[in-house]
Amino acid sequence: MTHHPSDEDLFAAALIMPDAERAHFLARACADEPARQRLTALLAAFDDAADFVGAYAGAAEHAIESIPSYRLLHELGEGGCGIAYLAEQLDPVRRHVAVKVIKPGMDTKAVVARFAAERQLLALMDHPNVAKVFDAGATAAGRPYFVMELVRGIKITDYCDLMRLSIAERLPLFIQVCHAIQHAHQKSVLHRDIKPSNVLVTMHDGLPMVKVIDFGIAKATQGPLSGQTQHTASEQFIGTPAYVSPEQTDLTQRNVDTRSDIYSLGVLLYELLTGSTPLDGDELQSLSADEMRRRVREEEPVVPSARLKLQQRSSHEIQRDLDWIAMRCLEKDTGRRYQTVNELLLDVQRHLRHEPIVARPPSARYIVAKFARRNRAMVAALLAAAFIVVAFVVNMSIQTQRIAAARDRAEQETQRAQKAAEFMLDTVARAEPFGYAETGQPETAKELLDRAGRWLHENRNQDPEVRARLLEAIGRAYRRRVEVDSGIEFLREALSLRRKLTGGLGDAATVSVMNELATCLRVTSDLPGAERLLQEGDAILQRLGQEHSMLHVRLLLNRGRLALMRGATEAARQHSDEAVALARDLRGPRSPEFADALVERVFMLSWLDDLSGAERLAREALSIYSSTVPQQHPDRVFAQSLLGETLRVRGKLEEAFALLSFSLNATRRMYGDSSRQGADILDSLARLESSRGRLAEAEELSRQSVQMLLQIAGTDNSKTAYYRTSLAMIQSARGEYAEAEAQLRAALATFAKTLQPDHPYAASTEYRLGEALLGLRRPKDAEAAFRASMQRLQRTTQPAWWAARSASGLGEALYRQGRTREAEPYLVQSDRIVAADPNADEESRVAVRERVARFYAERERNRDEMQLASGGSR
């Protein structure tokens, strides 16, 4: 596309964008820096002027009908029966919204019914590419209205032209439109008026996002709305002539179904490809109603590439695949169109991946048959023979092309299969008796995995696709065994190959490798590296329109765990909510994939002190695994250990001990005596034994946990530091304060290298250090540790009782220095906060209460002693 927008075009488009996204839009749209600076200055000047004028806008409000809780600012646009206003919602939250009110004088029974139907239909929608409905009701005058998300965007066609997007850049936007319409169809709703003015593009986090609006003439295909919407549309022409399907020109609307929206999507795709609609909209509007209907039903449009040639524009980007996809949508016969939006989506995605598409050009026989039906008088018997010959030649040509393409694909797959077979045969041979004759022992799964890795290193002449798959499989296997250092090596090479195979653009297979590698980097405490990969993977999925996939679920779960490690609990909650909802939608509430999402959510709830919620979800996940995977499955064993840890924190020690002991034995059978999973469970058992008062046993388990992870991950790993903190807590309980101090200072040094500055792990460790220093009778040093912990927590979003616990320790340290007046507020206020929070753990509750009680008891005893001494002196 060679269109170059003027400054006026860009100014108008940026003006309706959200303020936060204007800079992103201008950065994409402006050809040079001076133009961007000029437009930025114009927009700032306009905003200042708008603020000035807005101060005097109150006098005009009487002209707009009043709606409780909303202040209507000005009219946005007008449709067939409704007027849309920009409004400010005043209660319960303040935000700008769009309010659509039925027109005065349009309150006939049919129009009110249609308006009510639109309101109900929009309420059914819950999709990021469909404008959301917030509220509905009637004005004081009885005119129905509804309140919906304010979409600050421009028509999709205008956006593509303004941004000078190529065809390959337009298709991901079209895919977003398809996702929105597919969502509507899943809710049994048709749109029936898909056109550029109802498909807006706005900016979200610097990326374009499509919003489909105006379901005003939508029709519910099933359910209680069906009769209502059909009644309101009876004997009326519904839709915009240039975009309606042939069956929509029938006033009875008997044959209108989801395939009618597919036809309109085809018109939109055609317009995105060529800049014009298949049938001229202005010309159709000028015709009589009957002639317009006839043209829509019978006139065949030229293919998109031919239309571009007529316009003397390049058509090389859209020949073949996109011609066929668009023309299949525009079939007059509904049976020859795509039958679902998902079929259309898959074909567009296949085109983007350079894979064979399902759509094919209609056969010559079909074309001639249609011509004969329209022109029976012109079809003579002599043309029959010519028709047969032409049809035969065309059909044979197409079949030859298909056979050649299929043969090439088969040869490629055969070569890949042979290479993979060589690898598998060599591996399987090692499991047979003659394969381990030298040692007399069969190779373990770990040894076979290592052998496979060595084979790949020594044999580098595989097809790149095959090698990338094998590298990812081995890397994933190492990751599942939590041997992440080995996994990283294979996954990095797999990612490098994937980038080369896709020309740096990336595809779903690339994102899969990125997600696996990010998990390994997260486990090794390389949080920035993991974050970069996950952000890049998310951007690729958005570009491909594959946000509604299990791959995106796994990406979201990974981002949620990473956010927890960074202490960003709100981001973690958002990623977790989205992942759980998407997994349930895609796989159902009793699937292992849904259980995986629940397990990740348990981590978040435990972090947020919602222990009852964490226990409930852990039990639900374990119930799903119990009916879907074997007892020794790693995911099921992990869920058992997670439930055991949750029960331990809740004080349900007997059930926790049984689950943790079983999980430890199962983990040792799967991974051997030394593994990260084993270290996790040993740490939980150590804390459990400490709660039982068996401190010697607890310290031994904790030492094993720390030593195991030091051997596996080294000193500079956040999990190693976490286990050191556990050991220090037990040592402090045993009076081994010097040993505890050494462990805690080592943990803090590691956290400083691997975590964010104000991470709660560091704050908790500082609190434990303060306690150890009190035990060593060093209250001045303890004061510094407690104060650092309290101030760090006050800068985070952690529950208030965490900081209060540290404040209590600070009060104790001040009191032991004789600074009684300074100590009292910290001790008293912290006791009130901790006692009032039901989520505070029992250990902290007891410690805080004992400090304040001891403070007042000792102060009272000192007062009595002073009084006695004073009396004795007299």
Side-chain angles (χ1 to χ4, degrees):
M1 303 294 167
T2 58
H3 173 71
H4 294 284
S6 66
D7 281 1
E8 290 78 5
D9 292 334
L10 292 173
F11 178 79
L15 198 61
I16 59 176
M17 285 284 173
D19 293 345
E21 299 293 350
R22 285 179 180 173
H24 293 298
F25 173 76
L26 292 176
R28 286 169 167 261
C30 291
D32 51 51
E33 181 65 24
R36 181 161 59 251
Q37 293 178 350
R38 183 168 61 254
L39 286 169
T40 301
L42 284 172
L43 289 165
F46 182 90
D47 289 341
D48 291 342
D51 292 341
F52 177 79
V53 174
Y56 299 94
E61 288 187 18
H62 69 276
I64 302 177
E65 188 160 0
S66 174
I67 296 177
S69 300
Y70 299 94
R71 184 164 62 94
L72 304 188
L73 302 176
H74 62 76
E75 185 177 321
L76 290 174
E78 185 173 332
C81 62
I83 302 175
Y85 294 98
L86 171 65
E88 182 181 11
Q89 184 175 357
L90 305 175
D91 181 67
V93 295
R94 298 185 71 91
R95 58 183 170 187
H96 284 97
V97 295
V99 177
K100 190 170 183 179
V101 187
I102 202 166
K103 285 183 183 178
M106 293 291 292
D107 51 350
T108 65
K109 182 177 181 180
V111 172
V112 171
R114 184 183 302 166
F115 196 88
E118 178 185 6
R119 186 171 64 195
Q120 184 60 35
L121 290 169
L122 278 173
L124 294 173
M125 306 300 174
D126 183 17
H127 191 276
N129 297 120
V130 177
K132 293 180 177 62
V133 169
F134 298 138
D135 194 5
T139 68
R143 292 163 58 196
Y145 71 86
F146 66 87
V147 181
M148 60 189 298
E149 174 187 0
L150 178 62
V151 180
R152 297 184 182 273
I154 57 179
K155 292 193 302 183
I156 185 171
T157 48
D158 290 347
Y159 177 84
C160 291
D161 290 341
L162 285 169
M163 304 300 288
R164 302 183 295 279
L165 299 186
S166 67
I167 296 300
E169 293 170 325
R170 293 172 183 233
L171 291 179
L173 296 178
F174 179 71
I175 286 174
Q176 291 187 44
V177 182
C178 291
H179 278 303
I181 301 304
Q182 175 72 1
H183 175 75
H185 290 180
Q186 288 172 342
K187 299 292 185 180
S188 300
V189 174
L190 307 186
H191 190 287
R192 297 204 298 175
D193 196 22
I194 300 168
K195 56 186 178 181
S197 59
N198 285 338
V199 180
L200 304 183
V201 178
T202 186
M203 301 294 288
H204 180 70
D205 292 336
L207 296 173
M209 172 176 280
V210 166
K211 290 283 186 178
V212 178
I213 64 170
D214 201 353
F215 282 75
I217 59 174
K219 166 186 168 185
T221 59
Q222 299 174 11
L225 294 176
S226 180
Q228 179 184 6
T229 53
Q230 289 178 20
H231 170 74
T232 61
S234 179
E235 299 304 320
Q236 299 179 40
F237 178 75
I238 302 296
T240 306
Y243 297 89
V244 295
S245 62
E247 59 270 23
Q248 284 178 272
T249 62
D250 182 356
L251 294 180
T252 64
Q253 302 283 293
R254 284 190 299 266
N255 298 319
V256 174
D257 57 24
T258 55
R259 293 170 296 185
S260 300
D261 278 350
I262 291 171
Y263 182 96
S264 299
L265 285 171
V267 177
L268 179 61
L269 176 60
Y270 192 105
E271 191 168 1
L272 289 172
L273 298 176
T274 69
S276 60
T277 54
L279 303 179
D280 187 274
D282 293 336
E283 186 178 349
L284 289 175
Q285 294 280 13
S286 67
L287 300 174
S288 65
D290 289 340
E291 178 61 15
M292 181 272 292
R293 293 188 180 100
R294 186 196 67 78
R295 293 276 292 274
V296 172
R297 285 195 294 262
E298 298 181 6
E299 184 172 325
E300 295 286 353
V302 299
V303 297
S305 59
R307 174 61 61 87
L308 288 176
K309 289 177 182 177
L310 290 173
Q311 298 169 351
Q312 297 183 340
R313 294 159 61 189
S314 173
S315 61
H316 73 277
E317 283 190 272
I318 66 171
Q319 287 179 348
R320 296 180 64 84
D321 280 7
L322 293 177
D323 274 345
W324 296 346
I325 291 172
M327 297 310 289
R328 182 159 183 178
C329 294
L330 297 174
E331 286 284 355
K332 305 296 185 184
D333 180 358
T334 58
R336 292 187 56 80
R337 290 178 206 153
Y338 292 105
Q339 298 302 291
T340 65
V341 178
N342 197 46
E343 290 181 10
L344 169 59
L345 261 174
L346 291 174
D347 247 5
V348 175
Q349 290 171 345
R350 290 187 190 103
H351 166 74
L352 289 172
R353 294 194 298 265
H354 307 293
E355 297 175 358
I357 64 171
V358 173
R360 287 293 185 268
S363 67
R365 180 178 301 174
Y366 176 73
I367 295 171
V368 174
K370 291 182 68 174
F371 178 80
R373 283 197 300 271
R374 293 197 307 270
N375 305 277
R376 289 185 176 88
M378 299 176 61
V379 180
L382 292 176
L383 293 179
F387 158 70
I388 294 171
V389 173
V390 171
F392 177 78
V393 172
V394 172
N395 190 53
M396 287 302 295
S397 175
I398 293 172
Q399 291 300 326
T400 300
Q401 292 176 4
R402 290 179 181 175
I403 292 170
R407 183 176 62 248
D408 292 342
R409 289 196 301 272
E411 288 177 357
Q412 290 176 357
E413 290 301 322
T414 300
Q415 291 174 0
R416 292 174 180 175
Q418 287 174 347
K419 293 292 185 182
E422 291 173 8
F423 166 72
M424 291 301 298
L425 287 172
D426 179 75
T427 301
V428 171
R430 300 295 175 178
E432 296 190 12
F434 63 80
Y436 50 85
E438 293 181 2
T439 63
Q441 295 293 328
E443 289 185 308
T444 64
K446 172 66 165 60
E447 289 168 338
L448 287 171
L449 183 59
D450 291 342
R451 180 181 295 279
R454 289 194 298 273
W455 185 91
L456 265 185
H457 282 310
E458 296 165 2
N459 297 271
R460 295 182 171 274
N461 58 345
Q462 299 93 2
D463 174 87
E465 175 67 26
V466 172
R467 184 171 181 80
R469 291 179 184 178
L470 291 174
L471 286 165
E472 181 184 2
I474 292 175
R476 181 184 294 111
Y478 276 119
R479 194 271 301 167
R480 292 279 289 175
R481 296 182 61 84
V482 200
E483 296 181 33
V484 290
D485 292 327
S486 298
I488 286 172
E489 177 185 356
F490 290 96
L491 291 169
R492 285 196 191 279
E493 186 179 349
L495 180 57
S496 177
L497 273 177
R498 287 291 177 198
R499 291 190 192 278
K500 291 178 182 177
L501 287 168
T502 61
L505 294 176
D507 57 6
T510 307
V511 177
S512 178
V513 179
M514 286 177 170
N515 192 50
E516 290 291 338
L517 181 54
T519 301
C520 293
L521 295 178
R522 169 170 58 77
V523 172
T524 59
S525 298
D526 183 3
L527 306 190
E531 180 68 21
R532 284 193 297 272
L533 284 173
L534 294 175
Q535 287 180 347
E536 184 181 355
D538 195 36
I540 292 173
L541 289 183
Q542 289 190 31
R543 176 174 58 79
L544 297 175
Q546 294 188 24
E547 300 96 322
H548 199 71
S549 65
M550 283 307 302
L551 178 56
H552 194 218
V553 171
R554 292 192 290 273
L555 204 72
L556 287 168
L557 293 175
N558 210 345
R559 296 192 72 181
R561 182 75 77 90
L562 185 64
L564 274 183
M565 292 187 68
R566 289 181 171 277
T569 53
E570 285 307 312
R573 188 198 303 272
Q574 179 181 350
H575 293 318
S576 173
D577 289 347
E578 188 176 351
V580 169
L582 188 53
R584 181 192 292 271
D585 186 30
L586 291 171
R587 291 291 188 266
R590 297 297 298 174
S591 65
E593 295 86 353
F594 180 62
D596 294 342
L598 291 180
V599 166
E600 289 296 328
R601 190 170 180 81
V602 170
F603 276 100
M604 187 197 71
L605 293 179
S606 298
W607 186 261
L608 297 176
D609 288 329
D610 184 358
L611 299 178
S612 61
E615 178 184 348
R616 176 177 55 80
L617 290 188
R619 291 189 186 280
E620 183 181 352
L622 190 55
S623 170
I624 296 170
Y625 286 136
S626 299
S627 61
T628 56
V629 300
Q631 188 175 26
Q632 294 295 320
H633 192 281
D635 292 342
R636 181 171 173 179
V637 172
F638 180 71
Q640 286 176 313
S641 67
L642 187 59
L643 176 58
E645 169 64 10
T646 305
L647 294 174
R648 179 197 70 77
V649 178
R650 299 203 73 194
K652 300 179 181 182
L653 302 184
E654 293 306 316
E655 186 181 1
F657 182 79
L659 285 167
L660 290 170
S661 298
F662 175 86
S663 300
L664 181 61
N665 291 332
T667 297
R668 284 171 171 166
R669 285 194 295 272
M670 288 186 291
Y671 304 115
D673 291 336
S674 181
S675 66
R676 291 176 186 265
Q677 293 95 327
D680 282 344
I681 300 172
L682 284 170
D683 180 71
S684 294
L685 284 170
R687 290 170 179 258
L688 188 150
E689 293 289 31
S690 178
S691 299
R692 286 174 160 181
R694 301 173 58 177
L695 298 180
E697 292 85 347
E699 183 172 356
E700 177 58 28
L701 289 169
S702 187
R703 285 188 184 279
Q704 291 178 28
S705 175
V706 171
Q707 190 60 35
M708 190 177 295
L709 208 65
L710 279 171
Q711 293 174 352
I712 295 171
T715 302
D716 292 338
N717 184 279
S718 58
K719 186 64 75 71
T720 304
Y722 181 79
Y723 292 157
R724 285 186 185 274
T725 303
S726 297
L727 176 57
M729 290 167 58
I730 297 168
Q731 290 171 330
S732 291
R734 299 192 71 187
E736 300 168 353
Y737 299 116
E739 294 87 342
E741 181 188 3
Q743 295 291 347
L744 291 165
R745 291 198 183 278
L748 283 171
T750 300
F751 286 146
K753 296 177 183 178
T754 59
L755 298 179
Q756 297 291 92
D758 289 327
H759 198 282
Y761 278 0
S764 178
T765 303
E766 287 168 332
Y767 170 77
R768 299 295 176 186
L769 178 60
E771 287 189 320
L773 292 170
L774 286 177
L776 290 169
R777 303 182 183 279
R778 290 158 55 188
K780 186 66 176 177
D781 293 338
E783 176 192 349
F786 285 127
R787 196 180 297 277
S789 173
M790 179 186 70
Q791 292 173 348
R792 193 188 299 270
L793 286 167
Q794 287 172 343
R795 294 192 294 267
T796 71
T797 59
Q798 297 304 314
W801 73 264
W802 286 40
R805 180 181 65 175
S806 298
S808 173
L810 175 59
E812 178 73 11
L814 292 170
Y815 175 61
R816 293 196 188 185
Q817 295 177 65
R819 296 155 65 181
T820 306
R821 288 187 178 180
E822 292 180 64
E824 185 174 10
Y826 288 111
L827 292 168
V828 173
Q829 291 298 327
S830 61
D831 179 55
R832 290 175 180 171
I833 293 171
V834 174
D837 195 325
N839 292 319
D841 65 62
E842 189 60 25
E843 176 195 354
S844 300
R845 198 184 302 276
V846 170
V848 170
R849 174 52 55 89
E850 286 181 350
R851 284 174 183 146
V852 73
R854 184 169 57 250
F855 171 81
Y856 281 114
E858 290 182 2
R859 193 173 71 169
E860 190 65 29
R861 185 166 57 250
N862 291 339
R863 183 182 293 114
D864 291 344
E865 290 174 354
M866 291 177 63
Q867 289 177 349
L868 287 173
S870 175
S873 65
R874 285 195 299 269

